Amino acid sequence: MIIGVPKEIKIGEKRVSMTPSLCRRVTSLGAQVLMEKNAGLTAGFTDAEYKAAGATFAASAEKVWKSADMILKVKEPLEAEFGLMQQGQTLFTYLHLAAGPALAKQLCKKGILGIAYETVESSDGQFPLLKPMSQIAGRLSIQIGAYFLQSQVGGSGVLLGGIPGTMPGHVVVVGAGNSGAHAVRMAAGMGARVTVLDLDTRKLEVLDQEYRGKVVTLVSNPANVEAEVASADLVVGAVLIPAAKAPTVVTKKMVKNMRPGSVIVDIAIDQGGCVEGIQYTSHEKPTYQEFGVNHYAVPNMPALVGRTSTLGLTQATEPYVAMIVQKGVERALAEHKGLAKGVNTRGGRIVYGEVAKAVGFDQA
């Protein structure tokens, strides 16, 4: 099997899908790793390190795509890469097809076996390949929000932790899953006043016990969300329905009631966002203002910490990549039900129900 690793081309992307350690593991199992030159450089890994681990190199992404049986990526293929995909190829990456119908059509057109990191499941129903990036995005959301609250960048001038004699900033986290819980941890650690909302009272109970009442937990309903958002300095949207388009939880009416210079960081933007009407931003232009509120909606947030994100991601993907090399794609999918849950497209059809529903295509 030839595993192809092209450079990531999404704006500001610093991650890579293969570390020298993972390269050494899969080549020892008999796979060939074909990398685009300098593919790992932005994450701090040199071609010399990959060469020592057994990789070979191609001068262009086109050669990588053309030669590989399976393409291993971090982010979904962009329009510039559509023409590089080979008929019947296997693609293992974050796909987020609910927010990308054009990509879904291309994958179907080319008969791509599309295995999405975000829908691979563990035996306990968790999402092990989504988890590390959710954790990073949750932690980053507070750092990012704190920065854009600064006066010099158009923020309201609020210090999240405050000082003695002043009120700390109010952080409202909508969603108490992996990303939301890690946002709560960072915000509480900075000394902010934190409110977290979720539909699942079990998640709220866990956070209430962990923080011993220092974090306010509320059931997520329109009235509670509206009241908390109105008083927030920073709103973190962390709502996730795996593979599906994110539900709208924060409406434009709610945003209008926020104080000028407040900040919204929508972690759910990969799946379309949970803030009504929010527009994608990029690392080159990360925010825009609407109703006087700074909106941050970068879909590849973890790229801000490319090395940490790469290590976190590849540690999670390694067992699955190794399994595919050892057993072959079809046998691995047949024997591992959790990996099979990662299959979003196959044989020209969308085969994952929530994705099919989101993009409007028939499910196979």
Side-chain angles (χ1 to χ4, degrees):
M1 171 182 284
I2 300 175
I3 300 175
V5 182
K7 287 181 186 176
E8 299 293 327
I9 65 170
K10 200 175 188 75
I11 293 173
E13 187 54 66
K14 305 296 184 183
R15 293 169 289 180
V16 64
S17 61
M18 177 80 68
T19 58
S21 175
L22 177 55
C23 180
R24 186 174 292 107
R25 172 80 184 279
V26 296
T27 54
S28 71
L29 294 172
Q32 179 182 344
V33 174
L34 179 62
M35 300 191 64
E36 186 177 356
K37 286 185 177 180
N38 296 321
L41 204 54
T42 54
F45 301 109
T46 65
D47 284 352
E49 291 176 274
Y50 287 109
K51 184 177 180 180
T56 56
F57 301 92
S60 68
E62 183 178 6
K63 289 183 179 179
V64 172
W65 283 89
K66 189 174 182 179
S67 304
D69 302 303
M70 180 173 77
I71 293 290
L72 193 67
K73 286 184 93 280
V74 177
K75 291 303 293 178
E76 72 283 353
L78 303 183
E79 188 174 350
E81 296 170 300
F82 288 176
L84 302 179
M85 296 187 290
Q86 303 297 302
Q87 197 73 31
Q89 202 165 41
T90 298
L91 174 63
F92 196 16
T93 188
Y94 289 115
L95 287 174
H96 296 296
L97 295 179
L103 173 60
K105 288 180 180 179
Q106 287 296 318
L107 295 178
C108 290
K109 180 180 178 181
K110 296 207 170 182
I112 300 293
L113 176 59
I115 308 174
Y117 292 155
E118 69 269 18
T119 61
V120 172
E121 292 188 27
S122 56
S123 58
D124 59 357
Q126 300 298 306
F127 298 90
L129 307 190
L130 186 62
K131 184 177 181 178
M133 297 304 99
S134 295
Q135 293 172 337
I136 288 171
R139 295 185 180 207
L140 278 174
S141 68
I142 304 304
Q143 291 184 201
I144 290 164
Y147 174 78
F148 285 107
L149 279 170
Q150 294 177 172
S151 303
Q152 290 88 338
V153 289
S156 60
V158 169
L159 179 66
L160 285 182
I163 61 169
T166 71
M167 283 289 288
H170 185 199
V171 176
V172 174
V173 180
V174 185
N178 274 320
S179 57
H182 280 262
V184 168
R185 175 178 294 184
M186 288 293 284
M190 292 178 72
R193 181 164 54 101
V194 184
T195 302
V196 58
L197 303 100
D198 200 282
L199 291 171
D200 189 340
T201 55
R202 293 171 300 177
K203 292 178 181 177
L204 298 178
E205 287 169 4
V206 169
L207 291 173
D208 184 68
Q209 291 173 9
E210 180 177 353
Y211 295 99
R212 300 177 182 272
K214 293 181 180 179
V215 167
V216 175
T217 60
L218 291 174
V219 171
S220 183
N221 59 46
N224 282 343
V225 174
E226 182 174 14
E228 295 306 310
V229 167
S231 67
D233 296 295
L234 168 60
V235 172
V236 176
V239 179
L240 172 71
I241 300 176
K245 190 178 185 307
T248 297
V249 178
V250 178
T251 66
K252 285 193 174 186
K253 180 182 177 182
M254 295 177 189
V255 177
K256 284 182 180 179
N257 289 331
M258 294 178 70
R259 290 191 296 272
S262 301
V263 177
I264 292 172
V265 177
D266 196 340
I267 297 174
I269 194 63
D270 259 334
Q271 298 293 127
C274 61
V275 177
E276 183 180 10
I278 196 163
Q279 303 298 310
Y280 289 94
T281 61
S282 73
H283 290 296
E284 288 184 350
K285 190 177 180 181
T287 64
Y288 66 91
Q289 278 205 354
E290 187 174 21
F291 311 123
V293 175
N294 293 311
H295 291 61
Y296 181 100
V298 176
N300 56 335
M301 285 174 60
L304 288 169
V305 287
R307 189 172 180 89
T308 297
S309 294
T310 292
L311 292 170
L313 174 61
T314 56
Q315 287 167 8
T317 59
E318 181 172 338
Y320 298 94
V321 176
M323 185 193 314
I324 289 171
V325 170
Q326 288 177 298
K327 300 184 176 184
V329 177
E330 293 302 334
R331 184 180 165 196
L333 291 173
E335 293 184 5
H336 196 290
K337 292 181 180 179
L339 180 61
K341 290 287 186 70
V343 177
N344 281 204
T345 63
R346 177 197 282 273
R349 303 290 297 278
I350 292 177
V351 296
Y352 199 95
E354 291 293 342
V355 172
K357 181 179 177 181
V359 301
F361 301 170
D362 290 335
Q363 184 183 0

